[in-house]
Amino acid sequence: MEQKKVIPLSTIKSGQTVKLAGVEAGRGLNSRLAAMGLLPNVEITVVSNGHTGPSVISVKGSRMMLGRGMADKILVSNSDYEKDNGRPGRQSK
């Protein structure tokens, strides 16, 4: 079985799409992120991720800002390989 590399969201460059693998935080932050739509396996596109200041991400058509500390606790895996290996893409009508 192939193992996916899991890294913090704060290290992802702008323009990349990743999948949420987990959150290393307490119940409060986990429930807050879930309420925002950040659930396991959801696709996240990083809109802006400078080295200082908040990260801007897009999830299910909504943009949101995450503080640096929060982005450090969100673990993601690269989903680009799935798009390249035959996973059906979404087609817009």
Side-chain angles (χ1 to χ4, degrees), residues 54-70:
S55 298
V56 180
I57 61 171
S58 176
V59 178
K60 296 181 181 180
S62 296
R63 286 189 180 191
M64 57 188 81
M65 292 173 52
L66 302 174
R68 182 71 37 202
M70 197 180 289

Side-chain angles (χ1 to χ4, degrees), residues 29-39 64:
L29 181 55
N30 274 312
S31 63
R32 182 176 178 193
L33 293 174
M36 294 167 60
L38 293 170
L39 300 167
M64 57 188 81

Side-chain angles (χ1 to χ4, degrees), residues 7-91:
I7 55 176
L9 179 63
S10 60
T11 62
I12 304 298
K13 294 180 182 178
S14 299
Q16 289 187 314
T17 299
V18 293
K19 277 195 176 184
L20 193 142
V23 179
E24 288 187 344
R27 285 186 295 193
L29 181 55
N30 274 312
S31 63
R32 182 176 178 193
L33 293 174
M36 294 167 60
L38 293 170
L39 300 167
N41 294 320
V42 71
E43 286 191 353
I44 300 171
T45 302
V46 178
V47 177
S48 174
N49 195 7
H51 292 290
T52 58
S55 298
V56 180
I57 61 171
S58 176
V59 178
K60 296 181 181 180
S62 296
R63 286 189 180 191
M64 57 188 81
M65 292 173 52
L66 302 174
R68 182 71 37 202
M70 197 180 289
D72 283 337
K73 295 177 182 178
I74 298 172
L75 302 177
V76 296
S77 63
N78 190 355
S79 66
D80 288 336
Y81 73 92
E82 292 178 356
K83 292 177 183 174
D84 297 337
N85 289 329
R87 191 183 101 187
R90 295 182 189 149
Q91 296 177 355

